[in-house]
Amino acid sequence: MGDNRQIRNIALTGFMGCGKSAVGRVVARVAGFEYIDTDQFIEEHVGMSIPRIFEEHGEETFRRYEREVVVRLAERENTVISTGGGLLVGAENMDTMKQYAMVFCLWASPETIWRRVKGQSHRPLLNTDNPRQRIIDLLEERKPAYGRSDMLINTEYRSAKDVANLILSQFRKAP
Ligand code: S3P
């Protein structure tokens, strides 16, 4: 798989609340790249918010939209792609995206994530009786998938700018 990669873009993955959007925007600004957020892309194309897609069509349909986005973005270049936290969990999506992007995973502990996302209501997966436990479980479940990224970056003690600089220095070394 890795042999015929054409790294023309930067993709960001990682759990909700790890700063993908904030970091992605900085990377795009500094690199002069376009910025795309897959959740926004889906919302615009479907004409519905993510919570409404989950509510009316279910998670499976949302995941299908995500797969379609991964394929559609293959023609892009010089773009920072900030992905929804579950988009690169499937091996097929990860493999496809790695063909045209260097994939960076932003990481934080469940406690930090909880601190960042509590009080927000736009994340359907966390609308449960015990969102804190859900974060712990989902993060554990997704660890192997996130670990398949090109680089894992702990965001706990780093500013968005520092994380962006790390990403850019690594990306510039790409063949
Ligand atoms: C999801 C993360 C969300 C959004 C959807 C599902 C996930 O994006 O795609 O609610 O499965 O982790 P963010 O990671 O940008 O919050």
Side-chain angles (χ1 to χ4, degrees), residues 14-18 20-21 37-39 42 50-51 54 59 62-63 66 82-87 89 117 120 122-126 138 142 146:
F15 207 78
M16 303 172 249
C18 282
K20 291 170 298 214
S21 312
D37 178 300
T38 60
D39 282 344
I42 291 171
I50 303 292
F54 269 73
E59 182 175 349
F62 173 70
R63 299 300 174 198
E66 286 193 315
S82 174
T83 68
L87 184 136
V89 169
V117 304
Q120 300 179 345
H122 64 282
R123 294 185 164 103
L125 289 183
L126 300 181
L138 263 180
R142 292 178 174 181
Y146 288 152

mmCIF file of all heavy atoms in Angstrom, residues 14-18 20-21 37-39 42 50-51 54 59 62-63 66 82-87 89 117 120 122-126 138 142 146, ligand 1:
data_model
loop_
_atom_site.group_PDB
_atom_site.id
_atom_site.type_symbol
_atom_site.label_atom_id
_atom_site.label_comp_id
_atom_site.label_asym_id
_atom_site.label_seq_id
_atom_site.Cartn_x
_atom_site.Cartn_y
_atom_site.Cartn_z
ATOM 1 N N GLY A 14 -8.096 12.001 14.996
ATOM 2 C CA GLY A 14 -8.009 12.031 16.457
ATOM 3 C C GLY A 14 -9.386 12.238 17.044
ATOM 4 O O GLY A 14 -10.334 12.597 16.340
ATOM 5 N N PHE A 15 -9.475 11.985 18.329
ATOM 6 C CA PHE A 15 -10.771 12.012 19.001
ATOM 7 C C PHE A 15 -11.366 13.431 19.036
ATOM 8 O O PHE A 15 -10.643 14.422 18.945
ATOM 9 C CB PHE A 15 -10.602 11.495 20.437
ATOM 10 C CG PHE A 15 -11.850 10.882 20.987
ATOM 11 C CD1 PHE A 15 -12.224 9.600 20.625
ATOM 12 C CD2 PHE A 15 -12.668 11.597 21.856
ATOM 13 C CE1 PHE A 15 -13.384 9.027 21.124
ATOM 14 C CE2 PHE A 15 -13.824 11.036 22.369
ATOM 15 C CZ PHE A 15 -14.184 9.747 21.998
ATOM 16 N N MET A 16 -12.699 13.465 19.170
ATOM 17 C CA MET A 16 -13.391 14.755 19.348
ATOM 18 C C MET A 16 -12.693 15.549 20.459
ATOM 19 O O MET A 16 -12.286 14.969 21.462
ATOM 20 C CB MET A 16 -14.836 14.497 19.818
ATOM 21 C CG MET A 16 -15.639 13.623 18.893
ATOM 22 S SD MET A 16 -17.238 13.162 19.604
ATOM 23 C CE MET A 16 -17.021 11.400 19.897
ATOM 24 N N GLY A 17 -12.555 16.816 20.258
ATOM 25 C CA GLY A 17 -11.998 17.652 21.319
ATOM 26 C C GLY A 17 -10.486 17.674 21.390
ATOM 27 O O GLY A 17 -9.909 18.239 22.314
ATOM 28 N N CYS A 18 -9.808 17.064 20.413
ATOM 29 C CA CYS A 18 -8.335 17.080 20.438
ATOM 30 C C CYS A 18 -7.755 18.264 19.666
ATOM 31 O O CYS A 18 -6.539 18.394 19.553
ATOM 32 C CB CYS A 18 -7.759 15.765 19.910
ATOM 33 S SG CYS A 18 -7.846 14.451 21.142
ATOM 34 N N LYS A 20 -8.497 19.278 16.322
ATOM 35 C CA LYS A 20 -8.236 19.118 14.883
ATOM 36 C C LYS A 20 -8.578 20.391 14.092
ATOM 37 O O LYS A 20 -7.806 20.801 13.234
ATOM 38 C CB LYS A 20 -9.059 17.941 14.319
ATOM 39 C CG LYS A 20 -8.590 16.581 14.827
ATOM 40 C CD LYS A 20 -9.598 15.514 14.427
ATOM 41 C CE LYS A 20 -10.921 15.803 15.051
ATOM 42 N NZ LYS A 20 -11.773 14.765 15.467
ATOM 43 N N SER A 21 -9.714 20.996 14.402
ATOM 44 C CA SER A 21 -10.118 22.185 13.627
ATOM 45 C C SER A 21 -9.183 23.354 13.906
ATOM 46 O O SER A 21 -8.709 24.014 12.980
ATOM 47 C CB SER A 21 -11.550 22.598 13.963
ATOM 48 O OG SER A 21 -12.380 21.487 13.917
ATOM 49 N N ASP A 37 -13.110 20.756 6.295
ATOM 50 C CA ASP A 37 -13.539 19.993 7.463
ATOM 51 C C ASP A 37 -14.567 18.987 6.956
ATOM 52 O O ASP A 37 -15.568 19.382 6.346
ATOM 53 C CB ASP A 37 -14.164 20.985 8.458
ATOM 54 C CG ASP A 37 -14.694 20.305 9.696
ATOM 55 O OD1 ASP A 37 -15.586 19.450 9.565
ATOM 56 O OD2 ASP A 37 -14.225 20.641 10.789
ATOM 57 N N THR A 38 -14.323 17.690 7.153
ATOM 58 C CA THR A 38 -15.210 16.684 6.537
ATOM 59 C C THR A 38 -16.640 16.762 7.081
ATOM 60 O O THR A 38 -17.597 16.516 6.359
ATOM 61 C CB THR A 38 -14.664 15.248 6.700
ATOM 62 O OG1 THR A 38 -14.549 14.944 8.096
ATOM 63 C CG2 THR A 38 -13.319 15.086 6.012
ATOM 64 N N ASP A 39 -16.783 17.121 8.360
ATOM 65 C CA ASP A 39 -18.142 17.254 8.916
ATOM 66 C C ASP A 39 -18.902 18.377 8.202
ATOM 67 O O ASP A 39 -20.064 18.222 7.832
ATOM 68 C CB ASP A 39 -18.091 17.566 10.418
ATOM 69 C CG ASP A 39 -17.807 16.325 11.246
ATOM 70 O OD1 ASP A 39 -17.946 15.206 10.710
ATOM 71 O OD2 ASP A 39 -17.453 16.469 12.427
ATOM 72 N N ILE A 42 -19.847 17.347 4.683
ATOM 73 C CA ILE A 42 -21.043 16.485 4.684
ATOM 74 C C ILE A 42 -22.290 17.318 4.965
ATOM 75 O O ILE A 42 -23.301 17.194 4.272
ATOM 76 C CB ILE A 42 -20.888 15.339 5.719
ATOM 77 C CG1 ILE A 42 -19.814 14.356 5.257
ATOM 78 C CG2 ILE A 42 -22.222 14.622 5.951
ATOM 79 C CD1 ILE A 42 -19.417 13.313 6.284
ATOM 80 N N ILE A 50 -24.882 17.579 11.517
ATOM 81 C CA ILE A 50 -24.469 16.219 11.924
ATOM 82 C C ILE A 50 -25.469 15.613 12.931
ATOM 83 O O ILE A 50 -25.912 14.475 12.743
ATOM 84 C CB ILE A 50 -23.025 16.224 12.506
ATOM 85 C CG1 ILE A 50 -22.017 16.804 11.502
ATOM 86 C CG2 ILE A 50 -22.611 14.838 12.977
ATOM 87 C CD1 ILE A 50 -21.762 15.987 10.257
ATOM 88 N N PRO A 51 -25.846 16.348 13.980
ATOM 89 C CA PRO A 51 -26.819 15.730 14.915
ATOM 90 C C PRO A 51 -28.105 15.295 14.218
ATOM 91 O O PRO A 51 -28.652 14.240 14.514
ATOM 92 C CB PRO A 51 -27.090 16.848 15.930
ATOM 93 C CG PRO A 51 -25.893 17.730 15.875
ATOM 94 C CD PRO A 51 -25.390 17.660 14.467
ATOM 95 N N PHE A 54 -27.561 12.042 12.237
ATOM 96 C CA PHE A 54 -27.576 10.903 13.161
ATOM 97 C C PHE A 54 -29.009 10.570 13.567
ATOM 98 O O PHE A 54 -29.395 9.408 13.619
ATOM 99 C CB PHE A 54 -26.740 11.206 14.412
ATOM 100 C CG PHE A 54 -25.295 10.794 14.306
ATOM 101 C CD1 PHE A 54 -24.410 11.520 13.509
ATOM 102 C CD2 PHE A 54 -24.805 9.698 15.004
ATOM 103 C CE1 PHE A 54 -23.067 11.157 13.412
ATOM 104 C CE2 PHE A 54 -23.460 9.323 14.913
ATOM 105 C CZ PHE A 54 -22.597 10.063 14.130
ATOM 106 N N GLU A 59 -26.348 6.442 12.439
ATOM 107 C CA GLU A 59 -24.888 6.523 12.334
ATOM 108 C C GLU A 59 -24.368 5.821 11.089
ATOM 109 O O GLU A 59 -23.424 6.294 10.448
ATOM 110 C CB GLU A 59 -24.228 5.928 13.594
ATOM 111 C CG GLU A 59 -22.712 6.038 13.532
ATOM 112 C CD GLU A 59 -21.985 5.588 14.785
ATOM 113 O OE1 GLU A 59 -22.647 5.360 15.822
ATOM 114 O OE2 GLU A 59 -20.742 5.459 14.717
ATOM 115 N N PHE A 62 -24.384 8.029 8.177
ATOM 116 C CA PHE A 62 -23.340 9.047 8.325
ATOM 117 C C PHE A 62 -21.980 8.460 7.945
ATOM 118 O O PHE A 62 -21.188 9.107 7.247
ATOM 119 C CB PHE A 62 -23.304 9.568 9.772
ATOM 120 C CG PHE A 62 -22.159 10.499 10.049
ATOM 121 C CD1 PHE A 62 -22.135 11.771 9.500
ATOM 122 C CD2 PHE A 62 -21.092 10.100 10.843
ATOM 123 C CE1 PHE A 62 -21.062 12.629 9.734
ATOM 124 C CE2 PHE A 62 -20.020 10.949 11.095
ATOM 125 C CZ PHE A 62 -20.009 12.227 10.534
ATOM 126 N N ARG A 63 -21.703 7.222 8.359
ATOM 127 C CA ARG A 63 -20.413 6.588 8.030
ATOM 128 C C ARG A 63 -20.287 6.368 6.520
ATOM 129 O O ARG A 63 -19.189 6.410 5.972
ATOM 130 C CB ARG A 63 -20.254 5.255 8.786
ATOM 131 C CG ARG A 63 -20.263 5.379 10.315
ATOM 132 C CD ARG A 63 -19.141 6.263 10.842
ATOM 133 N NE ARG A 63 -19.244 6.482 12.287
ATOM 134 C CZ ARG A 63 -18.626 7.462 12.935
ATOM 135 N NH1 ARG A 63 -17.863 8.324 12.283
ATOM 136 N NH2 ARG A 63 -18.763 7.603 14.233
ATOM 137 N N GLU A 66 -19.248 9.519 5.075
ATOM 138 C CA GLU A 66 -17.817 9.733 5.340
ATOM 139 C C GLU A 66 -16.959 8.977 4.325
ATOM 140 O O GLU A 66 -15.971 9.510 3.820
ATOM 141 C CB GLU A 66 -17.466 9.282 6.765
ATOM 142 C CG GLU A 66 -17.956 10.226 7.846
ATOM 143 C CD GLU A 66 -17.330 9.947 9.211
ATOM 144 O OE1 GLU A 66 -17.249 8.761 9.601
ATOM 145 O OE2 GLU A 66 -16.953 10.890 9.901
ATOM 146 N N SER A 82 -9.397 18.287 7.820
ATOM 147 C CA SER A 82 -9.679 17.959 9.212
ATOM 148 C C SER A 82 -10.844 16.975 9.210
ATOM 149 O O SER A 82 -11.920 17.273 8.696
ATOM 150 C CB SER A 82 -10.039 19.250 9.952
ATOM 151 O OG SER A 82 -10.452 18.952 11.248
ATOM 152 N N THR A 83 -10.615 15.763 9.720
ATOM 153 C CA THR A 83 -11.643 14.721 9.629
ATOM 154 C C THR A 83 -12.456 14.599 10.911
ATOM 155 O O THR A 83 -11.954 14.903 11.996
ATOM 156 C CB THR A 83 -11.005 13.340 9.336
ATOM 157 O OG1 THR A 83 -10.245 12.924 10.481
ATOM 158 C CG2 THR A 83 -10.099 13.387 8.111
ATOM 159 N N GLY A 84 -13.686 14.133 10.797
ATOM 160 C CA GLY A 84 -14.475 13.795 11.978
ATOM 161 C C GLY A 84 -13.742 12.682 12.714
ATOM 162 O O GLY A 84 -13.076 11.854 12.082
ATOM 163 N N GLY A 85 -13.868 12.655 14.042
ATOM 164 C CA GLY A 85 -13.076 11.729 14.866
ATOM 165 C C GLY A 85 -13.233 10.252 14.553
ATOM 166 O O GLY A 85 -12.397 9.436 14.948
ATOM 167 N N GLY A 86 -14.282 9.870 13.818
ATOM 168 C CA GLY A 86 -14.481 8.455 13.519
ATOM 169 C C GLY A 86 -14.154 8.102 12.081
ATOM 170 O O GLY A 86 -14.176 6.933 11.691
ATOM 171 N N LEU A 87 -13.831 9.115 11.285
ATOM 172 C CA LEU A 87 -13.696 8.888 9.842
ATOM 173 C C LEU A 87 -12.554 7.952 9.472
ATOM 174 O O LEU A 87 -12.685 7.114 8.585
ATOM 175 C CB LEU A 87 -13.556 10.226 9.107
ATOM 176 C CG LEU A 87 -13.501 10.135 7.585
ATOM 177 C CD1 LEU A 87 -14.377 11.198 6.944
ATOM 178 C CD2 LEU A 87 -12.092 10.308 7.085
ATOM 179 N N VAL A 89 -11.229 5.647 11.378
ATOM 180 C CA VAL A 89 -11.191 4.463 12.246
ATOM 181 C C VAL A 89 -11.264 3.192 11.398
ATOM 182 O O VAL A 89 -10.604 2.196 11.685
ATOM 183 C CB VAL A 89 -12.324 4.534 13.298
ATOM 184 C CG1 VAL A 89 -12.476 3.217 14.020
ATOM 185 C CG2 VAL A 89 -12.019 5.658 14.298
ATOM 186 N N VAL A 117 -14.890 18.956 26.047
ATOM 187 C CA VAL A 117 -16.163 18.792 25.322
ATOM 188 C C VAL A 117 -17.411 18.904 26.189
ATOM 189 O O VAL A 117 -18.507 19.029 25.662
ATOM 190 C CB VAL A 117 -16.239 17.442 24.537
ATOM 191 C CG1 VAL A 117 -15.076 17.300 23.576
ATOM 192 C CG2 VAL A 117 -16.318 16.258 25.485
ATOM 193 N N GLN A 120 -20.895 20.852 25.634
ATOM 194 C CA GLN A 120 -21.218 21.002 24.212
ATOM 195 C C GLN A 120 -22.270 19.948 23.848
ATOM 196 O O GLN A 120 -22.270 18.867 24.417
ATOM 197 C CB GLN A 120 -19.971 20.781 23.350
ATOM 198 C CG GLN A 120 -18.860 21.762 23.662
ATOM 199 C CD GLN A 120 -17.624 21.524 22.812
ATOM 200 O OE1 GLN A 120 -17.476 20.483 22.193
ATOM 201 N NE2 GLN A 120 -16.730 22.510 22.799
ATOM 202 N N HIS A 122 -23.253 19.292 20.369
ATOM 203 C CA HIS A 122 -23.336 18.965 18.935
ATOM 204 C C HIS A 122 -22.661 17.651 18.577
ATOM 205 O O HIS A 122 -22.427 17.370 17.418
ATOM 206 C CB HIS A 122 -22.741 20.109 18.109
ATOM 207 C CG HIS A 122 -21.272 20.317 18.348
ATOM 208 N ND1 HIS A 122 -20.782 20.970 19.462
ATOM 209 C CD2 HIS A 122 -20.188 19.936 17.628
ATOM 210 C CE1 HIS A 122 -19.458 20.995 19.388
ATOM 211 N NE2 HIS A 122 -19.084 20.368 18.296
ATOM 212 N N ARG A 123 -22.352 16.809 19.593
ATOM 213 C CA ARG A 123 -21.692 15.542 19.281
ATOM 214 C C ARG A 123 -22.590 14.378 19.695
ATOM 215 O O ARG A 123 -22.601 13.970 20.859
ATOM 216 C CB ARG A 123 -20.348 15.478 19.994
ATOM 217 C CG ARG A 123 -19.370 16.522 19.474
ATOM 218 C CD ARG A 123 -18.027 16.355 20.097
ATOM 219 N NE ARG A 123 -17.001 17.080 19.369
ATOM 220 C CZ ARG A 123 -16.477 18.233 19.775
ATOM 221 N NH1 ARG A 123 -16.898 18.825 20.868
ATOM 222 N NH2 ARG A 123 -15.526 18.811 19.078
ATOM 223 N N PRO A 124 -23.331 13.848 18.718
ATOM 224 C CA PRO A 124 -24.333 12.828 19.039
ATOM 225 C C PRO A 124 -23.775 11.619 19.783
ATOM 226 O O PRO A 124 -24.466 11.045 20.635
ATOM 227 C CB PRO A 124 -24.896 12.408 17.674
ATOM 228 C CG PRO A 124 -24.123 13.130 16.645
ATOM 229 C CD PRO A 124 -23.307 14.177 17.282
ATOM 230 N N LEU A 125 -22.517 11.241 19.503
ATOM 231 C CA LEU A 125 -21.980 10.038 20.156
ATOM 232 C C LEU A 125 -21.815 10.235 21.662
ATOM 233 O O LEU A 125 -21.731 9.271 22.415
ATOM 234 C CB LEU A 125 -20.630 9.651 19.543
ATOM 235 C CG LEU A 125 -20.649 9.094 18.133
ATOM 236 C CD1 LEU A 125 -19.254 8.694 17.694
ATOM 237 C CD2 LEU A 125 -21.578 7.886 18.032
ATOM 238 N N LEU A 126 -21.780 11.496 22.089
ATOM 239 C CA LEU A 126 -21.591 11.746 23.525
ATOM 240 C C LEU A 126 -22.904 12.098 24.230
ATOM 241 O O LEU A 126 -22.907 12.420 25.419
ATOM 242 C CB LEU A 126 -20.548 12.856 23.739
ATOM 243 C CG LEU A 126 -19.158 12.559 23.161
ATOM 244 C CD1 LEU A 126 -18.197 13.695 23.442
ATOM 245 C CD2 LEU A 126 -18.599 11.243 23.710
ATOM 246 N N LEU A 138 -14.579 4.590 23.922
ATOM 247 C CA LEU A 138 -14.368 4.821 22.483
ATOM 248 C C LEU A 138 -12.892 5.046 22.163
ATOM 249 O O LEU A 138 -12.372 4.551 21.166
ATOM 250 C CB LEU A 138 -15.151 6.057 22.032
ATOM 251 C CG LEU A 138 -16.521 5.855 21.399
ATOM 252 C CD1 LEU A 138 -17.117 7.211 21.022
ATOM 253 C CD2 LEU A 138 -16.431 4.977 20.160
ATOM 254 N N ARG A 142 -10.614 2.831 19.715
ATOM 255 C CA ARG A 142 -10.049 3.427 18.500
ATOM 256 C C ARG A 142 -8.528 3.519 18.498
ATOM 257 O O ARG A 142 -7.944 3.860 17.466
ATOM 258 C CB ARG A 142 -10.626 4.835 18.309
ATOM 259 C CG ARG A 142 -12.088 4.807 17.969
ATOM 260 C CD ARG A 142 -12.635 6.208 17.828
ATOM 261 N NE ARG A 142 -14.013 6.217 17.368
ATOM 262 C CZ ARG A 142 -14.710 7.323 17.139
ATOM 263 N NH1 ARG A 142 -14.133 8.503 17.334
ATOM 264 N NH2 ARG A 142 -15.949 7.261 16.728
ATOM 265 N N TYR A 146 -6.174 4.747 15.346
ATOM 266 C CA TYR A 146 -5.450 6.019 15.388
ATOM 267 C C TYR A 146 -3.934 5.774 15.281
ATOM 268 O O TYR A 146 -3.203 6.578 14.718
ATOM 269 C CB TYR A 146 -5.754 6.777 16.686
ATOM 270 C CG TYR A 146 -7.145 7.379 16.763
ATOM 271 C CD1 TYR A 146 -7.779 7.565 17.998
ATOM 272 C CD2 TYR A 146 -7.827 7.800 15.623
ATOM 273 C CE1 TYR A 146 -9.047 8.138 18.099
ATOM 274 C CE2 TYR A 146 -9.090 8.365 15.701
ATOM 275 C CZ TYR A 146 -9.699 8.536 16.944
ATOM 276 O OH TYR A 146 -10.946 9.101 17.035
HETATM 277 C C1 S3P B 1 -17.495 11.714 15.515
HETATM 278 C C2 S3P B 1 -16.834 12.918 15.623
HETATM 279 C C3 S3P B 1 -17.424 14.198 15.185
HETATM 280 C C4 S3P B 1 -18.475 13.946 14.086
HETATM 281 C C5 S3P B 1 -19.479 12.950 14.532
HETATM 282 C C6 S3P B 1 -18.851 11.597 14.901
HETATM 283 C C7 S3P B 1 -16.812 10.476 15.968
HETATM 284 O O1 S3P B 1 -16.416 15.057 14.671
HETATM 285 O O2 S3P B 1 -17.871 13.507 12.905
HETATM 286 O O3 S3P B 1 -20.160 13.486 15.619
HETATM 287 O O4 S3P B 1 -17.227 9.371 15.580
HETATM 288 O O5 S3P B 1 -15.819 10.581 16.728
HETATM 289 P P1 S3P B 1 -15.319 15.814 15.605
HETATM 290 O O6 S3P B 1 -14.246 14.819 15.904
HETATM 291 O O7 S3P B 1 -14.831 16.907 14.719
HETATM 292 O O8 S3P B 1 -16.039 16.310 16.811
#
